[in-house]
């Protein structure tokens, strides 16, 4: 069997993502000799039976979980203090960074102090600082968006990778899960945006979301299935007022007035 045929057989086993298992080999019928690993968005298979040629690797599309796993050298412990790098300069120091936040409706959130946005001169990124969930006066990390097409990955996480970037006002009763920091800023005058950055929902996201009366899931148009999966995950976590918000475009392309219309006046809505 060639690689392609083997891959089809292994895919036909329907092993869920992020799983490492041993099973009977469908190629040589060896008892428990086939190892399959679906972590990091790969499918790797290998049979331990000496005369069996089952072996291969399929690399799925690289998502943020994969990028993070590859790029971070060592899992930084969340209790290590995050120090803002010296290369983070004020936003005004770079015109591309300023242009980015204008074009992506972050300007208002930045100028009203709802978001802390800087420019990383070393990596040529516009960076969104992440505040601690419990103590908003402390920064625990940052998320940087590349400002040129050659910088990879497009989004880079500094410091703590578990605490979400969020942007909003303390009086907000509603929150929305969005794809990226710019979208979180764009909605932040009306409701609190929580960016998941292509990762799966983490425990700290769920913990943080518990304080809201109503939660929307508003991922990109092409992530509709993921939106429903996340909504279901939140519901099974015990959050009941969870709704998938159908979007005609990324939230970062809408201004506050349009966001307000979209959410029916948001928290000003009579309940
Ligand atoms: Zn085998």
């Amino acid at each position: 069997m060639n690689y392609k045929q083997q891959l089809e057989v292994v895919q036909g086993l329907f092993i869920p993502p992020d799983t490492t298992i041993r099973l009977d080999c469908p190629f040589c019928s060896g008892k428990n000799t086939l190892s399959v690993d679906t972590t990091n968005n790969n499918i790797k298979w290998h049979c331990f039976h000496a005369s069996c040629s089952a072996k291969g690797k399929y690399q799925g599309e690289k998502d943020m979980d994969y990028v993070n796993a590859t790029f971070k050298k060592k899992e930084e412990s969340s209790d290590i203090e995050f120090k803002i790098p010296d290369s983070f300069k004020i936003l005004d120091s770079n015109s591309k960074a300023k242009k980015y936040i204008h074009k992506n409706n972050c300007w208002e959130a930045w100028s009203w102090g709802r978001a802390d946005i800087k420019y990383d001169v070393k990596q040529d990124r516009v960076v969104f600082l992440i505040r601690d969930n419990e103590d908003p006066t402390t920064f625990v990390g940052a998320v940087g968006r590349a400002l040129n097409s050659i910088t990879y990955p497009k989004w880079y996480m500094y410091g703590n990778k578990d605490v979400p970037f969020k942007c909003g006002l303390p009086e907000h009763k509603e929150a929305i899960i969005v794809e990226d920091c710019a979208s979180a800023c764009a909605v932040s005058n009306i409701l609190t945006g929580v960016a998941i950055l292509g990762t799966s929902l983490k425990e700290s996201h769920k913990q943080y979301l518990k304080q809201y009366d109503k939660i929307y899931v508003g991922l990109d148009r092409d992530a509709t299935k993921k939106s429903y999966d996340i909504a279901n995950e939140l519901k099974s976590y015990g959050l009941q007022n969870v709704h998938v918000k159908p979007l005609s475009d990324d939230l970062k392309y809408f201004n506050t007035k349009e966001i307000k219309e979209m959410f029916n006046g948001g928290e000003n809505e009579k309940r």
Side-chain angles (χ1 to χ4, degrees), residues 25 27-28 33 47 49 52 54:
C25 180
F27 305 101
C28 71
T33 55
C47 178
H49 205 229
C52 178

Side-chain angles (χ1 to χ4, degrees), residues 85-212:
D86 293 337
S87 59
F88 284 18
K89 307 295 181 195
I90 57 163
L91 189 70
D92 282 311
S93 64
N94 186 272
S95 59
K96 269 186 300 176
K98 281 203 291 187
K99 202 169 151 198
Y100 177 87
I101 78 157
H102 265 298
K103 266 176 67 181
N104 293 282
N105 288 297
C106 308
W107 187 266
E108 198 195 310
W110 174 75
S111 57
W112 286 95
R114 295 196 296 269
D116 308 277
I117 308 176
K118 298 206 179 290
Y119 171 67
D120 182 0
V121 63
K122 197 170 144 198
Q123 290 203 32
D124 193 26
R125 291 174 186 277
V126 56
V127 285
F128 298 79
L129 291 171
I130 301 173
R131 293 176 189 173
D132 185 41
N133 283 353
E134 278 82 42
D135 172 15
T137 61
T138 308
F139 295 117
V140 295
V143 184
R145 166 64 157 79
L147 289 170
N148 62 64
S149 52
I150 54 162
T151 305
Y152 186 81
K154 192 159 98 170
W155 291 92
Y156 179 84
M157 290 166 126
Y158 306 78
N160 190 306
K161 315 278 190 296
D162 293 326
V163 180
F165 173 83
K166 55 264 166 196
C167 188
L169 294 166
E171 61 266 34
H172 284 163
K173 298 276 188 290
E174 299 181 352
I176 182 164
I177 295 177
V178 296
E179 197 68 56
D180 60 49
C181 301
S183 294
C185 290
V187 302
S188 64
N189 200 23
I190 307 301
L191 72 175
T192 294
V194 180
I196 60 163
L197 300 155
T199 66
S200 46
L201 217 52
K202 293 184 175 135
E203 183 58 30
S204 65
H205 292 81
K206 295 186 238 183
Q207 279 284 343
Y208 176 78
L209 289 165
K210 277 203 294 198
Q211 63 185 297
Y212 294 96

Side-chain angles (χ1 to χ4, degrees), residues 224-242:
T224 311
K225 187 192 171 287
K226 195 178 171 190
S227 290
Y228 282 99
D229 288 347
I230 286 180
N232 287 334
E233 198 180 336
L234 288 171
K235 283 178 194 167
S236 56
Y237 185 73
L239 303 168
Q240 287 313 312
N241 205 359
V242 182

